[in-house]
Amino acid sequence: MYFLTHHPIWSFLIILFFSFAMGILLLIWRNHVKWFFILPTVGFLAAIFNIFLTHYVNSLFLNAVGTEGTAIIVYAEETNSLYNDQYVWEYEVVLKTSDGQDVATSFTTMSASIYPLRNAILIPPKGEVFVAKYVTGFERNILIMSDKSDYGKKWVINTDLKPVKKAEGQLATSPTNPKFISEYRLALQAFLEKHRDGPDSALMRQYEQKLEALEATERKLQP
């Protein structure tokens, strides 16, 4: 898993080589031309799958069997490679295992394994401790547990705040509009229900007070 995830180009070439080699061997052994076309085709598809999806498989694997520890990015450097029109970064990391062992490892923007699986690459900030999982005996292959780490919790809260801020801005254009009031109230209720016990208690109290004031406004506007 570590090799496939962290060395996608070599993996691509090796998968293609073995698929062509097996196709040739089966062509000679079975004397069926179809194997020379089927196996290289399957190998090519597997090689493409490996480049884009193996880090997801690695994430599921490490989350299922890994041991929890902590890690910190000690060095980050931008490369000249591009991925989704963004520069790829290389990160040097120190993992602290559950028994206190320090393990130096690394990953890039493309090879990072992160859980939960999202269509977003949530890399921890340099110098900030984050929760990670690893397999004892091969600690270099780590999984970033974003939602158990402070930076990930903040990202989730900020993402869930978007509907609240949208409804708040909408209400600001017409403070007595019953529809806008209702939408803002529902957005606040949904946010508070999910994050009431979150790490930012001051923010939760602030939105609870806004919800109470909003409910009072609704009662006043009722006929």
Side-chain angles (χ1 to χ4, degrees):
M1 282 292 183
Y2 180 84
F3 181 82
L4 291 175
T5 303
H6 290 258
H7 302 284
I9 303 302
W10 279 111
S11 300
F12 183 89
L13 296 175
I14 290 170
I15 293 170
L16 280 184
F17 171 79
F18 275 102
S19 63
F20 271 99
M22 290 299 296
I24 293 171
L25 289 175
L26 286 172
L27 171 63
I28 297 171
W29 180 38
R30 291 287 190 178
N31 198 26
H32 288 165
V33 178
K34 66 179 182 180
W35 292 112
F36 184 71
F37 296 99
I38 293 174
L39 283 177
T41 301
V42 172
F44 178 76
L45 294 175
I48 296 296
F49 172 90
N50 174 71
I51 291 176
F52 295 101
L53 298 176
T54 299
H55 63 283
Y56 290 125
V57 178
N58 191 43
S59 297
L60 294 173
F61 167 73
L62 288 173
N63 184 60
V65 304
T67 301
E68 200 167 282
T70 58
I72 185 170
I73 293 175
V74 296
Y75 181 76
E77 182 178 11
E78 186 180 74
T79 70
N80 293 323
S81 302
L82 289 173
Y83 179 68
N84 286 344
D85 297 325
Q86 299 290 328
Y87 283 104
V88 174
W89 282 71
E90 293 179 345
Y91 301 93
E92 299 296 328
V93 185
V94 173
L95 169 72
K96 176 79 71 174
T97 64
S98 59
D99 59 358
Q101 179 184 0
D102 292 325
V103 179
T105 185
S106 62
F107 56 77
T108 68
T109 307
M110 291 184 65
S111 66
S113 296
I114 308 171
Y115 192 86
L117 305 182
R118 292 189 177 97
N119 188 27
I121 304 175
L122 302 180
I123 303 295
K126 178 185 172 184
E128 182 176 314
V129 176
F130 61 91
V131 179
K133 278 190 174 183
Y134 62 93
V135 173
T136 303
F138 200 85
E139 292 83 359
R140 285 185 298 158
N141 189 19
I142 68 169
L143 172 65
I144 300 169
M145 304 295 291
S146 62
D147 285 13
K148 289 190 175 183
S149 307
D150 288 342
Y151 85 99
K153 293 175 182 177
K154 292 175 184 175
W155 182 88
V156 171
I157 287 176
N158 289 333
T159 300
D160 291 341
L161 268 176
K162 289 179 181 178
V164 175
K165 291 181 177 180
K166 175 185 174 182
E168 185 176 27
Q170 186 175 255
L171 180 61
T173 66
S174 182
T176 58
N177 186 315
K179 181 183 177 182
F180 291 170
I181 293 173
S182 176
E183 289 180 2
Y184 187 31
R185 174 177 52 78
L186 292 173
L188 282 172
Q189 288 173 338
F191 176 78
L192 288 169
E193 183 176 350
K194 184 175 181 180
H195 297 288
R196 196 179 300 275
D197 298 323
D200 195 342
S201 56
L203 180 66
M204 297 307 115
R205 285 196 300 270
Q206 176 185 342
Y207 279 111
E208 283 174 351
Q209 291 170 358
K210 288 187 176 182
L211 179 59
E212 291 173 359
L214 198 64
E215 289 172 342
T217 302
E218 269 190 313
R219 289 193 294 269
K220 290 180 180 178
L221 293 175
Q222 286 179 352

